[in-house]
mmCIF file of all heavy atoms in Angstrom:
data_model
loop_
_atom_site.group_PDB
_atom_site.id
_atom_site.type_symbol
_atom_site.label_atom_id
_atom_site.label_comp_id
_atom_site.label_asym_id
_atom_site.label_seq_id
_atom_site.Cartn_x
_atom_site.Cartn_y
_atom_site.Cartn_z
ATOM 1 N N ARG H 235 -28.805 -77.714 133.270
ATOM 2 C CA ARG H 235 -27.712 -76.805 133.807
ATOM 3 C C ARG H 235 -27.299 -75.727 132.866
ATOM 4 O O ARG H 235 -26.853 -74.641 133.171
ATOM 5 C CB ARG H 235 -26.460 -77.574 134.262
ATOM 6 C CG ARG H 235 -26.671 -78.601 135.327
ATOM 7 C CD ARG H 235 -26.273 -79.993 134.786
ATOM 8 N NE ARG H 235 -24.855 -80.082 134.487
ATOM 9 C CZ ARG H 235 -24.496 -80.182 133.205
ATOM 10 N NH1 ARG H 235 -25.221 -80.096 132.185
ATOM 11 N NH2 ARG H 235 -23.090 -80.268 132.928
ATOM 12 N N LEU H 236 -27.423 -76.070 131.558
ATOM 13 C CA LEU H 236 -26.803 -75.234 130.499
ATOM 14 C C LEU H 236 -27.631 -73.949 130.225
ATOM 15 O O LEU H 236 -27.041 -73.072 129.475
ATOM 16 C CB LEU H 236 -26.584 -76.102 129.137
ATOM 17 C CG LEU H 236 -25.720 -77.279 129.244
ATOM 18 C CD1 LEU H 236 -25.640 -77.981 127.966
ATOM 19 C CD2 LEU H 236 -24.263 -76.834 129.756
ATOM 20 N N HIS H 237 -28.785 -73.847 130.809
ATOM 21 C CA HIS H 237 -29.462 -72.639 130.600
ATOM 22 C C HIS H 237 -28.832 -71.483 131.286
ATOM 23 O O HIS H 237 -29.080 -70.316 130.922
ATOM 24 C CB HIS H 237 -30.952 -72.794 131.144
ATOM 25 C CG HIS H 237 -30.939 -73.007 132.649
ATOM 26 N ND1 HIS H 237 -30.719 -74.232 133.239
ATOM 27 C CD2 HIS H 237 -31.101 -72.108 133.687
ATOM 28 C CE1 HIS H 237 -30.746 -74.086 134.507
ATOM 29 N NE2 HIS H 237 -30.950 -72.896 134.834
ATOM 30 N N LEU H 238 -27.772 -71.750 132.138
ATOM 31 C CA LEU H 238 -27.087 -70.781 132.827
ATOM 32 C C LEU H 238 -26.050 -70.004 131.870
ATOM 33 O O LEU H 238 -25.705 -68.945 132.078
ATOM 34 C CB LEU H 238 -26.292 -71.351 134.042
ATOM 35 C CG LEU H 238 -27.169 -72.040 135.121
ATOM 36 C CD1 LEU H 238 -26.234 -72.741 135.998
ATOM 37 C CD2 LEU H 238 -27.862 -70.976 135.855
ATOM 38 N N VAL H 239 -25.774 -70.771 130.763
ATOM 39 C CA VAL H 239 -24.730 -70.201 129.833
ATOM 40 C C VAL H 239 -25.194 -68.917 129.075
ATOM 41 O O VAL H 239 -24.474 -67.936 129.147
ATOM 42 C CB VAL H 239 -24.178 -71.261 128.933
ATOM 43 C CG1 VAL H 239 -23.192 -70.754 128.032
ATOM 44 C CG2 VAL H 239 -23.623 -72.498 129.627
ATOM 45 N N PRO H 240 -26.336 -69.060 128.462
ATOM 46 C CA PRO H 240 -26.711 -67.790 127.683
ATOM 47 C C PRO H 240 -26.939 -66.612 128.718
ATOM 48 O O PRO H 240 -26.520 -65.521 128.359
ATOM 49 C CB PRO H 240 -28.110 -68.247 127.046
ATOM 50 C CG PRO H 240 -28.027 -69.691 126.862
ATOM 51 C CD PRO H 240 -27.232 -70.142 128.055
ATOM 52 N N ALA H 241 -27.471 -66.925 129.825
ATOM 53 C CA ALA H 241 -27.630 -65.883 130.810
ATOM 54 C C ALA H 241 -26.315 -65.230 131.268
ATOM 55 O O ALA H 241 -26.199 -63.987 131.379
ATOM 56 C CB ALA H 241 -28.368 -66.407 132.031
ATOM 57 N N ALA H 242 -25.287 -66.121 131.392
ATOM 58 C CA ALA H 242 -24.025 -65.610 131.757
ATOM 59 C C ALA H 242 -23.364 -64.772 130.653
ATOM 60 O O ALA H 242 -22.534 -63.933 130.884
ATOM 61 C CB ALA H 242 -23.027 -66.752 132.026
ATOM 62 N N CYS H 243 -23.812 -64.977 129.401
ATOM 63 C CA CYS H 243 -23.323 -64.206 128.274
ATOM 64 C C CYS H 243 -24.160 -62.953 127.960
ATOM 65 O O CYS H 243 -23.936 -62.245 127.004
ATOM 66 C CB CYS H 243 -23.364 -65.037 127.009
ATOM 67 S SG CYS H 243 -22.164 -66.561 127.063
ATOM 68 N N GLY H 244 -25.243 -62.768 128.783
ATOM 69 C CA GLY H 244 -26.059 -61.655 128.582
ATOM 70 C C GLY H 244 -27.071 -61.793 127.462
ATOM 71 O O GLY H 244 -27.519 -60.851 126.852
ATOM 72 N N ILE H 245 -27.428 -63.082 127.241
ATOM 73 C CA ILE H 245 -28.442 -63.438 126.241
ATOM 74 C C ILE H 245 -29.798 -63.911 126.952
ATOM 75 O O ILE H 245 -29.771 -64.525 127.945
ATOM 76 C CB ILE H 245 -27.880 -64.595 125.360
ATOM 77 C CG1 ILE H 245 -26.574 -64.189 124.659
ATOM 78 C CG2 ILE H 245 -28.933 -64.897 124.272
ATOM 79 C CD1 ILE H 245 -25.907 -65.272 124.007
ATOM 80 N N SER H 246 -30.846 -63.616 126.267
ATOM 81 C CA SER H 246 -32.129 -63.933 126.857
ATOM 82 C C SER H 246 -32.169 -65.493 127.071
ATOM 83 O O SER H 246 -31.580 -66.315 126.271
ATOM 84 C CB SER H 246 -33.272 -63.620 125.917
ATOM 85 O OG SER H 246 -33.319 -62.167 125.758
#
Side-chain angles (χ1 to χ4, degrees):
R235 299 122 61 253
L236 298 181
H237 64 281
L238 299 171
V239 180
C243 293
I245 302 171
S246 299

